[in-house]
Amino acid sequence: MAKPKLSIVSPANSSAGNTAPKLTDPQRVRYGGPAPAAAAPSTIQTPVAGTVLTSDKAYVLINVLPGYTSSVVKALAQIKEIKMADPCWGKPDIIAIVDVPDQDVLTQLVMSRIHAIEGVTQTDTHLVYRLKEAKGK
């Protein structure tokens, strides 16, 4: 069976009626556009024109080497974007609540600062979103 040929669709050769959601600068976060048909109405801190941008909240689940939990929690407490860091039984070893201005800062925080702490072996980050109020039927 022959492979189908793929073509690249650019704004120059796309149909005029097909308007895809645009990525905003500088964060390159997707806003607007059609929602998936089965999606629950929600938003990830979508900015409203003329208002102050809200921060992004995330849960960072952190696994550490045996014997390092206490020192990692102390190191996390020194990072201003981390609002709470609680050690837990089982996996993960620590759950941290993070409040950052945007997703780029979250990426840098997790990849550069949390992963740099001695004893941290793995993280699992969950970005929080708000459900929109459902319209009355």
Side-chain angles (χ1 to χ4, degrees):
M1 175 184 269
K3 289 184 180 179
K5 291 187 178 184
L6 300 177
S7 63
I8 298 174
V9 177
S10 68
N13 65 4
S14 65
S15 64
N18 184 11
T19 57
K22 296 188 175 28
L23 297 178
T24 61
D25 287 323
Q27 292 123 356
R28 308 295 294 169
V29 178
R30 188 178 304 274
Y31 295 114
S42 62
T43 180
I44 298 178
Q45 310 291 340
T46 305
V48 176
T51 63
V52 177
L53 291 177
T54 59
S55 60
D56 286 334
K57 180 178 177 181
Y59 296 99
V60 181
L61 287 58
I62 305 167
N63 293 329
V64 299
L65 294 170
Y68 280 85
T69 302
S70 180
S71 62
V72 171
V73 169
K74 287 178 185 174
L76 293 170
Q78 302 303 311
I79 300 173
K80 70 176 183 169
E81 293 88 358
I82 297 178
K83 301 307 175 193
M84 184 171 43
D86 289 329
C88 307
W89 289 103
K91 294 292 179 188
D93 299 304
I94 301 167
I95 297 176
I97 297 176
V98 176
D99 193 17
V100 292
D102 60 57
Q103 293 175 29
D104 291 333
V105 174
L106 177 62
T107 300
Q108 291 302 314
L109 173 70
V110 173
M111 301 302 292
S112 299
R113 297 181 69 194
I114 294 176
H115 279 266
I117 298 172
E118 184 179 1
V120 172
T121 59
Q122 183 181 21
T123 59
D124 185 12
T125 304
H126 298 264
L127 188 60
V128 175
Y129 66 91
R130 296 178 300 218
L131 291 174
K132 291 182 180 179
E133 292 293 322
K135 304 282 186 204
K137 292 182 180 181

